[in-house]
Amino acid sequence: MATPLQDEQADRVLGRALRWLTLVAALLVLVPTGAARAQGPGSGNTPSASAGEVTLEVERFGLRDYARPGEIACVRVVALDQSVKPREVLLRIEGRDADGDTPYFERQVVLNPNVKQGIWLYPLIPRNFGTTDTLQISAFEVDTGGEASESAADDSLVPAPASSRSVGRLLGSTLIAMKAQLAPYDAAIGIVGTGGANYGLADYGITDAQYSTSGHEIIQVMEGIRTTDLPDRWMGYAGIDAMVWGAGDPLEVRGERAAAIREWINRGGHLVVILPVAGQSWTSAGANELAELLPAVTITRNEGVDLSIYEKLLTRRKNARFPRDAVVYTFEPIAGAAPTDAIKVLAGPEGRCVVARRLVGTGAVTLIGLDLNHRMLAAQDIINADAFWNRVIGRRGMVRSATELAALAGNNSALVNREDKLFETDIGPSIAKSGRSAAGLLLALVVFALYWVVAGPGGFAFLKRTGLVRHAWVGFFAAAGVFTAIAWGGALILRPSRVEVGHLTILDHVYGQPVQRARSWMSVLIPWYGQATMEVGEPPKAGELAGRGGGDVLLPWTSPEQAQAGQDIFPDARGYSIQTRSPRSLTVPTRSTVKQLRADWSGGPAWKMIRPVASESDPAGGALTLAEGRRMTGLLVHELPGPLHDVDIIIVQPQKPLGFSIGSSLVSRAFAFSLASDDPWEPGEVLDLSAVTSPSPGRPDAAEEYFNQLLGQGSTIDLTQPTSTARSAGGVTKRLAALGFFSQFEPPEFSQTIDYARKPVARRAETHGWDLGRWFTQPCVIVIGHLGTEKNPMPSAIPMWIDGEPVTPMGHTVVRWIYPLPDSPPPYQADNAPAEPDPAAVPAQDGRG
């Protein structure tokens, strides 16, 4: 029996063969129509011209010069125009897609003569791009016919539409390359500040060979980001887990750069702000455009504080010397503030809050009042990432410093010979459309075989036997005509007649927040030749600046399997334009084949999501509450387009007390419960959490055990031979659920005993920035369910149009719903108190009202 991987390889071979057969037919019959329809911006030959009138230089290639192949990179180009007057210029970076077509990532600006101007562009970096590869960036003269354009210094104007511009002479070009590569499987955290402080975060990035010494993903800590380096579109921050603002004046971030940060946070970003002890301008609401994002708290400045009282919050080190003259800010929710606008995350031993948080859309802004920039902390390397940062950004396990690792040299048997587990191997197969290709190729092979027999030796033998050999040419032409009619008839029957869109989508919603976010991978079947315009999300409203903050994103997608196997390049490869700063739509060449895309969308709730409801005994209630132990009380219901199956419910309780070693366990007590896989949660059906989470004897339901089960579902991959990926036959829903919990997987343990068992290490390349680890630093309820299956696909929540007509993608949506519970900062444990064990874990009962 063929394995799933062999089936996929066979499908790709069949698909390639059918593409070539289809292309031959298109060239014979439809080329004139297709060619006429394909003309558009960037698709023709650009007139040659003298180069060098505009010089181009790359100032930044990625956030802090880190770029990840397969993702968008923020590229800042410095342009110098040597003309004698201002003029319209089109800047274009040439990319690559899976079909061999050339996406042109374009931005139209006005350049002023002999003035260096910095301009941001946001190209998609090819998946197989390396540090020795290059992309071409060019500047062209533009005639917009009087339409509005952008100024590189003032981005307040909307770019002229593609249809209104004419690309003219080439004014200059150069090749650009990455300065530092962020590996596809590596995570990232950014630090704003030029003082060289990393606040202990750099320990997350320590590696042993190709593995992290503290967990699974290697975390690149991008230090030294200047406020002037911050991009003006949210896509420039996509793919990072958090951004820590350690130093730098927020008043320098205004206009579109401030809007980009707000949009990134709304779309799930986590901004962590360390309040400065002097020149504090974060709360200047009139001048600071980011002030509205901060927690709704009153800030009290406390001078001359002995930081040793926060020792258990900051470090594991013994006998560390703390400053006694520090400035500490404490926070108190303002009167009338919503609970989610002023969440107390961490407090001092006296109970006053020193880390507060505000939920913003699907993201958050966390405010730190401790003086982490104090020179004494940096000089002694006091801050331990696991003691402090695990409780702020939501990670698991001990994070040893370089000094601690040096002392443990040779005791790291668990860090070598690890087994890589990939959790995104279901994306490509979930959206693949190979059935019709296989049927078409089978028909072609059968018809050709029969034609060869009839028109060749079989027909000749029949004519010879009947004495009609003299009519061989007549028989040959008759057979050719009959089989041509059969071939064309079969092709017309099998040829798709309507647009079909398959999708795999991750949808996030935080209860009480007005927006959702979604990432979707799509296969779009366009049943004609020429071109098609595809759009996601709602178009900008009248009077609203297009692309403010970046908006939704729709870009071509190349799966890792395609990138490894090589591209299927069409002989008629063409170019197509993408408005790089607002890429919610794109017009692509079509050849009656499938185009694979990836979309990032955010907007108001598209569906009636999961919500708490009142019970008959408590008609005025409707809230979820934590009861004793792991028990929850409350009722949930949803009105999604279909039933949710393979539902997991994670209850996150308050963080464990400060002062004892957590080791490899979670920073919070958490429990996981699963509904029966063969009993889906139907729309309108009431789910009783008190019954679901009731203790009962049997298997454990501690969240640590749940994450161990998820980790075991990954598909094995050898990073030295990427084509060796073996997709596991089952566990699709578990692998997709696991994409939210990489930060919560059990880390490796150091041991002097040689352990020959290969320890798993989790890998992902497509879902950086989509981890839910932050929610393990505050009480909450997380529900993960799956809408749609391969046999019963369901619609997507993302609005989409093709050539102006609405279309409904059908497929599989991973619904991730979070309900914030009242805050409860962890208490401090006395020095002589024993570590508190977690309560015994028992399984759940499926309880529905």
Side-chain angles (χ1 to χ4, degrees), residues 583-617:
R584 60 168 293 270
S585 69
L586 67 161
T587 301
V588 298
T590 59
R591 305 173 181 90
S592 194
T593 55
V594 169
K595 193 75 174 180
Q596 291 190 329
L597 308 170
R598 194 182 84 178
D600 282 285
W601 169 84
S602 178
W607 293 330
K608 292 185 177 180
M609 297 293 294
I610 301 170
R611 69 182 190 279
V613 293
S615 63
E616 294 181 0
S617 60

Side-chain angles (χ1 to χ4, degrees), residues 309-313 347-350 354 657-659 826-830:
I309 66 174
Y310 300 101
E311 176 183 3
K312 295 177 180 178
L313 180 58
E350 75 290 343
V354 293
L658 296 158
Y828 281 67
Q829 180 169 287

Side-chain angles (χ1 to χ4, degrees), residues 621-823:
L624 307 184
T625 57
L626 279 173
E628 292 185 10
R630 75 213 69 180
R631 187 183 178 95
M632 286 289 305
T633 61
L635 306 177
L636 292 178
V637 71
H638 74 84
E639 297 179 43
L640 296 168
L644 285 177
H645 60 91
D646 294 284
V647 176
D648 296 329
I649 301 173
I650 299 98
I651 310 299
V652 181
Q653 297 185 348
Q655 290 192 32
K656 297 172 183 176
L658 296 158
F660 68 88
S661 176
I662 295 176
S664 63
S665 63
L666 304 174
V667 297
S668 297
R669 292 187 179 87
F671 302 91
F673 309 90
S674 298
L675 304 186
S677 59
D678 58 351
D679 186 14
W681 182 11
E682 298 288 344
E685 183 181 0
V686 175
L687 187 70
D688 185 356
L689 286 182
S690 63
V692 172
T693 62
S694 293
S696 61
R699 71 173 189 269
D701 57 20
E704 285 88 347
E705 179 62 27
Y706 169 73
F707 294 135
N708 289 341
Q709 294 173 1
L710 293 185
L711 183 57
Q713 296 295 325
S715 299
T716 303
I717 180 176
D718 183 350
L719 293 184
T720 62
Q721 299 178 355
T723 55
S724 66
T725 303
R727 179 186 175 218
S728 299
V732 175
T733 57
K734 295 301 182 185
R735 280 192 292 275
L736 294 174
L739 294 173
F741 302 117
F742 270 45
S743 60
Q744 308 306 307
F745 288 152
E746 184 178 12
E749 292 290 344
F750 285 76
S751 174
Q752 294 180 345
T753 304
I754 298 178
D755 187 353
Y756 294 99
R758 301 189 68 185
K759 304 296 183 181
V761 54
R763 301 288 193 183
R764 59 177 163 188
E766 287 289 313
T767 51
H768 294 295
W770 284 76
D771 197 89
L772 299 177
R774 168 172 52 84
W775 290 103
F776 287 81
T777 65
Q778 65 182 85
C780 67
V781 177
I782 302 173
V783 178
I784 297 181
H786 301 264
L787 181 68
T789 64
E790 182 178 355
K791 295 182 178 179
N792 184 29
M794 289 289 172
S796 168
I798 300 178
M800 185 176 186
W801 293 265
I802 295 181
D803 284 348
E805 296 294 327
V807 296
T808 303
M810 301 295 291
H812 179 176
T813 299
V814 184
V815 178
R816 309 195 306 186
W817 180 84
I818 299 99
Y819 182 94
L821 294 169
D823 60 22

Side-chain angles (χ1 to χ4, degrees), residues 123-290:
L124 177 66
I125 306 303
R127 190 174 293 277
N128 283 340
F129 202 75
T131 53
T132 59
D133 295 323
T134 58
L135 296 174
Q136 180 168 304
I137 179 171
S138 306
F140 296 92
E141 192 174 51
V142 175
D143 177 12
T144 63
E147 296 286 346
S149 182
E150 291 180 294
S151 165
D154 180 6
D155 295 330
S156 60
L157 294 178
V158 178
S163 59
S164 69
R165 66 172 181 251
S166 174
V167 179
R169 297 182 303 117
L170 175 66
L171 302 176
S173 66
T174 188
L175 297 178
I176 62 176
M178 287 191 295
K179 297 183 178 182
Q181 181 172 343
L182 192 60
Y185 300 114
D186 289 356
I189 294 175
I191 300 180
V192 178
T194 58
N198 61 59
Y199 315 107
L201 286 163
D203 292 346
Y204 283 126
I206 300 176
T207 65
D208 184 341
Q210 63 190 43
Y211 302 115
S212 169
T213 57
S214 60
H216 293 264
E217 295 175 309
I218 295 173
I219 301 178
Q220 294 288 351
V221 179
M222 301 182 292
E223 305 175 28
I225 300 173
R226 301 174 300 179
T227 54
T228 54
D229 292 335
L230 297 176
D232 62 358
R233 288 294 184 265
W234 76 267
M235 298 89 75
Y237 307 96
I240 67 172
D241 290 331
M243 186 167 67
V244 177
W245 195 301
D249 190 352
L251 301 186
E252 297 176 355
V253 182
R254 306 180 62 82
E256 294 199 332
R257 293 194 297 150
I261 293 176
R262 288 196 301 269
E263 184 73 7
W264 170 67
I265 296 171
N266 259 297
R267 292 173 177 265
H270 187 193
L271 175 64
V272 181
V273 176
I274 302 172
L275 282 180
V277 299
Q280 202 283 98
S281 57
W282 275 98
T283 55
S284 302
N288 178 17
E289 296 184 22
L290 301 177

Side-chain angles (χ1 to χ4, degrees), residues 60-63 71-77 91-93 104-107 119-125 135 137 150 155 229-238 256-257 260 547 549-550 553-555 578-583:
R60 287 291 180 215
F61 199 120
L63 189 63
E71 292 281 357
I72 297 173
C74 51
V75 176
R76 184 173 174 85
V77 177
L91 296 181
R92 170 189 290 173
I93 295 179
Y104 297 139
F105 299 94
E106 298 179 341
R107 179 179 175 186
I119 304 158
W120 285 104
L121 296 98
Y122 298 89
L124 177 66
I125 306 303
L135 296 174
I137 179 171
E150 291 180 294
D155 295 330
D229 292 335
L230 297 176
D232 62 358
R233 288 294 184 265
W234 76 267
M235 298 89 75
Y237 307 96
E256 294 199 332
R257 293 194 297 150
V553 175
L554 181 67
L555 291 174
I578 297 175
Q579 293 302 309
T580 179
R581 288 162 30 94
S582 183

